[in-house]
């Protein structure tokens, strides 16, 4: 039997940073489901699918191979980790990830990945949908200005010339879209533990999650 930790939360809540750290400490496999939605968005853009009308052209998703190697996102054998972080992908990923045909396929892939390994998976619908039976479910949140500032520094570091105002507007737009879409919206699972990361360091949040997880499996 394998263990799984589901981490959900809005953009900038610290999910991926914390999830990576927890995975490193526990020697678990980290699965960044946001990267998978971004990769499909990149492929649709590269294929020039008109207005991203993927529903009429979705067979390409079935021919797409997605895998993680050393925390890098490989699509069809090519490392796309950098390309999936561009503004063009960010602007379109909410739309693409709201489509049922995209979600259906990626959720199957994600469940498959969790079958043969101990995993930490982060996203928006992991606790509510992908891994409903996860050993531990965590919902991370943080104040909107903290989330925007984190995202702003992250984008700056990767060489983007966005402003803080652009970043906060984009975060609000994406949160609204992700929380109100029809299929598997961003939502805290009833049995998830909610942690606000605004005032804590990555190490503090990591240690807290590991402590909760170890207590949970000790009492199993
Ligand atoms: O976590 P991120 O910013 O890399 O996610 C990119 C987009 O993908 C985000 O707008 C919401 C979507 N997403 C989703 O719908 N379901 C997931 N499990 C993960 C991400």
């Amino acid at each position: 039997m394998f263990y799984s930790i589901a981490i959900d939360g809005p953009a900038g809540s610290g999910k991926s940073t914390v999830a990576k750290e927890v995975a490193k400490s526990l020697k678990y496999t980290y699965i960044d489901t946001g990267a998978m939605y971004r990769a499909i968005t990149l492929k649709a853009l590269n294929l020039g699918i008109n207005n991203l009308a993927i529903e009429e052209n979705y067979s390409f998703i079935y021919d797409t191979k997605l895998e993680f190697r050393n925390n890098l996102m490989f699509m069809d054998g090519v490392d796309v980790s950098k390309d999936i972080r561009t503004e063009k992908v960010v602007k379109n990923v909410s739309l693409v990830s709201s489509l049922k045909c995209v979600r259906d396929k990626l959720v199957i892939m994600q469940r498959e990945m969790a079958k043969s390994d101990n995993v930490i998976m982060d996203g928006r619908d992991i606790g509510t949908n992908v891994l409903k039976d996860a050993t531990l479910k965590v919902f991370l949140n943080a104040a909107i200005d903290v989330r925007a500032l984190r995202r702003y520094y992250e984008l700056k570091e990767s060489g983007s010339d966005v402003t803080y105002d652009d970043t906060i507007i984009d975060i609000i737009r994406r949160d609204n879209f992700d929380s109100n879409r029809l299929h598997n919206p961003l939502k805290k699972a009833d049995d998830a533990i909610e942690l606000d990361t605004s005032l804590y360091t990555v190490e503090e949040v990591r240690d807290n999650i590991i402590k909760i997880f170890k207590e949970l499996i000790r009492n199993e």
Side-chain angles (χ1 to χ4, degrees):
M1 194 200 96
F2 293 101
Y3 291 117
S4 55
I5 302 180
I7 303 194
D8 290 301
S13 57
K15 285 184 316 281
S16 345
T17 316
V18 167
K20 258 184 229 157
E21 286 299 312
V22 174
K24 211 197 296 172
S25 296
L26 295 176
K27 298 195 171 55
Y28 279 19
T29 298
Y30 168 55
I31 299 168
D32 175 356
T33 63
M36 298 171 75
Y37 287 98
R38 288 167 181 261
I40 293 297
T41 306
L42 176 69
K43 188 149 180 183
L45 290 166
N46 287 347
L47 288 172
I49 295 182
N50 210 4
N51 296 323
L52 292 175
I54 294 178
E55 275 146 321
E56 287 121 57
N57 304 277
Y58 67 84
S59 59
F60 80 89
I61 305 171
Y62 288 78
D63 301 329
T64 303
K65 187 165 179 226
L66 295 178
E67 56 186 330
F68 292 98
R69 296 185 207 159
N70 299 323
N71 284 345
L72 297 172
M73 176 88 265
F74 278 75
M75 180 164 65
D76 301 326
V78 177
D79 178 6
V80 292
S81 311
K82 283 219 173 76
D83 297 346
I84 59 171
R85 306 275 154 203
T86 60
E87 272 175 79
K88 206 167 174 201
V89 170
V90 171
K91 282 217 155 52
N92 292 291
V93 66
S94 279
L95 171 67
V96 173
S97 62
S98 70
L99 303 174
K100 189 170 181 306
C101 59
V102 174
R103 302 203 72 81
D104 283 352
K105 177 65 183 152
L106 291 198
V107 168
I108 291 172
M109 283 190 199
Q110 291 155 9
R111 287 187 181 142
E112 210 49 50
M113 289 172 175
K115 262 192 196 157
S116 50
D117 228 341
N118 292 313
V119 298
I120 315 264
M121 194 179 280
D122 80 0
R124 305 294 191 287
D125 61 333
I126 311 305
T128 53
N129 177 42
V130 182
L131 302 178
K132 281 196 189 125
D133 296 326
T135 320
L136 171 67
K137 298 179 185 179
V138 179
F139 191 87
L140 289 187
N141 217 335
I144 179 73
D145 52 332
V146 174
R147 295 197 281 121
L149 207 59
R150 284 179 185 157
R151 209 15 85 89
Y152 171 67
Y153 285 132
E154 201 178 282
L155 289 167
K156 278 278 175 201
E157 240 169 63
S158 66
S160 164
D161 61 354
V162 289
T163 64
Y164 172 76
D165 287 350
D166 289 341
T167 314
I168 198 163
I169 289 168
D170 185 64
I171 280 206
I172 293 170
R173 177 188 65 81
R174 273 213 289 154
D175 282 353
N176 280 335
F177 201 96
D178 296 341
S179 308
N180 294 307
R181 67 174 178 229
L182 186 63
H183 307 292
N184 309 122
L186 165 66
K187 194 171 168 285
K188 176 187 163 300
D190 292 338
D191 51 351
I193 291 167
E194 184 158 6
L195 300 175
D196 189 314
T197 66
S198 310
L199 301 174
Y200 297 97
T201 63
V202 171
E203 293 72 25
E204 285 169 326
V205 182
R206 174 198 63 196
D207 293 347
N208 197 9
I209 293 176
I210 292 178
K211 189 168 143 256
I212 297 168
F213 178 66
K214 288 197 166 157
E215 268 166 28
L216 200 73
I217 57 173
R218 197 177 307 129
N219 295 328
E220 254 186 4

